[in-house]
Amino acid sequence: MRPRAFDEQQALDAAMQVFWEKGYEAASLTDLTERMNIRKPSLYAAFGDKRELFERALDRYMGNHAMYVGRVLDREKDTIPAFSGLLHNVAAGGIGGNPALGCLAVLTLDELASGEPDLVVKALDHQLHLAELFRMKIARGIESGELARDLDAEATANGMLASLIGLTLLLKAKPETAFIETTIASTLTLLKEAHS
C-alpha cells in the first residue's frame, strides 16, 4: 500500500475549518477538497464519504476543544477568575480565534438535530463532558471556601454551560463589547448565588 501523499491531520484540520465556517450541509466536496488540497479520490480513500469526514473532523474539534477548556480553567487556581478567563477567552475567539464562528459542537446540535442522531449524541456528549469539567472546578471552589458551601456544583455547572453555549451563539452576531461584558458579568453571578 502506497503511503499517503499528504498529511492526513493537516487535511482533517482544513476540512474541520470548512465545516466550521459553512456547516455540514453547505460544505461541498469541492469546498473541502480545495481547502484540504487533495483530489476527491484521495478524500474518499483516506476519509470515506462526506459524512465520515465530518464525523472525524467533529471528533478532532471536540478533543481539541475539551483540552482547550480544561487548560483555560486550570490557568487560575480560584474558580471565579478561572471562569471569567474562560468566558473572556471565548469572547475573544476561543480555540478558533474567530468569535463569529461559534462552537462546532453546538452548531452540529442545531443543524443536524433532526437528521443525524448519532452525530447529535456525540455533540451532546461533548457538552456533558464540559459540564463535568465545570462541576469539578466548582466543587474545588466550594471545598476551598471560595464559593458558598450550599452552592449546588452540578446545577451551577449546567447553568454555566448553558450560558457558555448562549454566549458562543450570540458572538456569531458580533455584538457590542459592552453587551458581551454585561453577559459575562451576569453569568459569573451564578457562582455567587448560594448563601453560606
Side-chain angles (χ1 to χ4, degrees):
M1 185 172 171
R2 282 172 49 193
R4 303 256 187 246
F6 61 92
D7 185 311
E8 276 195 40
Q9 295 310 314
Q10 282 184 2
L12 190 56
D13 283 341
M16 180 177 70
Q17 197 67 31
V18 173
F19 287 127
W20 204 353
E21 292 168 8
K22 292 178 173 279
Y24 174 71
E25 295 293 347
S28 69
L29 284 175
T30 300
D31 293 330
L32 291 161
T33 53
E34 284 181 0
R35 190 77 66 88
M36 295 165 78
N37 200 27
I38 61 175
R39 298 181 183 276
K40 286 180 186 176
S42 296
L43 185 151
Y44 292 129
F47 302 105
D49 61 16
K50 178 181 167 183
R51 189 202 178 281
E52 290 176 87
L53 174 61
F54 179 76
E55 185 168 7
R56 284 187 57 185
L58 180 63
D59 285 342
R60 186 161 174 80
Y61 171 85
M62 293 188 301
N64 290 342
H65 189 245
M67 284 192 294
Y68 158 77
V69 169
R71 275 198 315 270
V72 174
L73 286 178
D74 286 344
R75 280 182 200 157
E76 295 281 352
K77 183 181 176 216
D78 290 338
T79 310
I80 294 173
F83 278 102
S84 177
L86 176 63
L87 293 168
H88 280 96
N89 218 288
V90 168
I95 191 173
N98 181 355
L101 284 178
C103 169
L104 182 59
V106 171
L107 299 175
T108 299
L109 285 171
D110 180 47
E111 183 186 3
L112 302 179
S114 60
E116 292 285 351
D118 292 347
L119 294 176
V120 169
V121 167
K122 269 181 180 268
L124 181 58
D125 283 346
H126 174 65
Q127 304 305 325
L128 296 176
H129 176 63
L130 296 183
E132 178 58 15
L133 292 178
F134 289 5
R135 186 199 64 76
M136 291 189 296
K137 186 71 175 181
I138 292 165
R140 287 196 292 272
I142 294 168
E143 287 165 18
S144 73
E146 179 199 358
L147 304 179
R149 287 244 165 252
D150 59 345
L151 189 68
D152 185 323
E154 183 174 354
T156 305
N158 292 343
M160 294 296 292
L161 177 65
S163 297
L164 177 66
I165 290 170
L167 179 62
T168 62
L169 291 173
L170 284 169
L171 289 168
K172 289 179 69 62
K174 301 178 182 175
E176 295 291 329
T177 302
F179 180 83
I180 294 169
E181 288 298 327
T182 303
T183 302
I184 290 173
S186 176
T187 299
L188 293 173
T189 64
L190 291 172
L191 298 168
K192 307 168 187 175
E193 284 185 347
H195 301 286
S196 43

